[in-house]
Amino acid sequence: GAGVSQTPSNKVTEKGKYVELRCDPISGHTALYWYRQSLGQGPEFLIYFQGTGAADDSGLPNDRFFAVRPEGSVSTLKIQRTERGDSAVYLCASSLLTPASGISAFFGQGTRLTVV
Amino acid sequence: QKEVEQNSGPLSVPEGAIASLNCTYSDRGSQSFFWYRQYSGKSPELIMSIYSNGDKEDGRFTAQLNKASQYVSLLIRDSQPSDSATYLCAVNGGTYKYIFGTGTRLKVLA
């Protein structure tokens, strides 16, 4: 596609429920990132995929969070037993190469998750 | 100490003035630096990247990098009300991770 696409754009869920957030990166981008952004804060790194594998998941806050990218394209961020503190905008980004090479990442429009 | 630090602002400048946005980073090994603009309720969009010491100009925007001082800045010339947004500084953390600051909110007054 022309840009990074995230669905849904908004998600309201009850505390304790399971949610899935989807990201469709720019075609051909092998690097895919998930970030979380709370109000007034910068994006906080969650996980990085290179191809199908999670090269770094050190930013995932706990084991309720999990992400997959089975075919090296679309990725799904999964949150189990949601808590009110999980409420944030979840951003997906993709890039051709890594930032050390000076290549920039491009963001999707985000999914606003609200846990009530 | 945060890895990437920015003054949260708001930074208010009159229309037509130069806006100067600053960012410091802690990792001397950082190689690439990025400025993103984020309008309220929208996702970050890339403005510029820079990886060599000195200045890099693109239209009304100039990025400045000083690796010795671990400092990167963004200048916006002839500021317009449409430039009012939050500006995020990002640096590479290791080879593949982008580390963001909290952003500086810019208000351009008409």
Side-chain angles (χ1 to χ4, degrees):
Chain A
V4 179
S5 176
Q6 291 186 246
T7 54
S9 55
N10 278 285
K11 177 70 176 179
V12 180
T13 191
E14 291 180 349
K15 180 176 176 296
K17 298 290 188 184
Y18 168 83
V19 296
E20 289 189 351
L21 311 179
R22 175 189 166 103
C23 173
D24 195 347
I26 293 172
S27 178
H29 281 194
T30 56
L32 185 146
Y33 303 83
W34 283 99
Y35 283 81
R36 178 169 71 175
Q37 188 173 27
S38 300
L39 195 62
Q41 301 296 313
E44 171 194 6
F45 172 80
L46 296 177
I47 187 169
Y48 159 69
F49 286 91
Q50 181 57 253
T52 61
D56 184 347
D57 64 358
S58 63
L60 294 178
N62 51 59
D63 61 6
R64 296 186 297 105
F65 288 74
F66 189 71
V68 296
R69 194 186 185 195
E71 298 178 355
S73 179
V74 171
S75 176
T76 304
L77 178 65
K78 308 180 181 194
I79 311 174
Q80 298 178 319
R81 304 183 304 280
T82 51
E83 300 177 356
R84 292 196 179 88
D86 298 335
S87 297
V89 176
Y90 289 81
L91 294 165
C92 177
S94 71
S95 69
L96 270 174
L97 293 170
T98 61
S101 60
I103 300 298
S104 314
F106 296 90
F107 284 86
Q109 79 280 17
T111 294
R112 182 177 299 277
L113 176 66
T114 304
V115 182
V116 297
Chain B
Q1 181 189 6
K2 290 184 179 178
E3 292 181 84
V4 180
E5 296 213 40
Q6 296 181 257
N7 188 318
S8 60
L11 171 66
S12 295
V13 300
E15 183 175 359
I18 296 174
S20 178
L21 304 158
N22 305 314
C23 171
T24 58
Y25 59 95
S26 60
D27 184 358
R28 283 198 170 274
S30 296
Q31 300 158 293
S32 302
F33 308 86
F34 307 86
W35 282 101
Y36 285 81
R37 177 175 63 198
Q38 187 172 30
Y39 291 112
S40 182
K42 302 295 185 182
S43 62
E45 57 179 325
L46 179 73
I47 299 176
M48 291 187 70
S49 61
I50 185 168
Y51 23 90
S52 300
N53 276 325
D55 294 1
K56 179 181 178 183
E57 188 175 317
D58 183 0
R60 295 188 296 113
F61 299 97
T62 298
Q64 299 175 316
L65 175 60
N66 183 325
K67 290 185 180 179
S69 300
Q70 295 175 243
Y71 176 96
V72 58
S73 64
L74 179 70
L75 300 178
I76 306 174
R77 289 182 299 282
D78 187 24
S79 296
Q80 301 298 309
S82 58
D83 295 326
S84 297
T86 295
Y87 289 79
L88 296 163
C89 171
V91 306
N92 72 292
T95 58
Y96 53 78
K97 191 185 298 187
Y98 302 82
I99 307 295
F100 286 84
T102 55
T104 298
R105 190 156 65 96
L106 173 67
K107 296 175 72 173
V108 180
L109 307 172

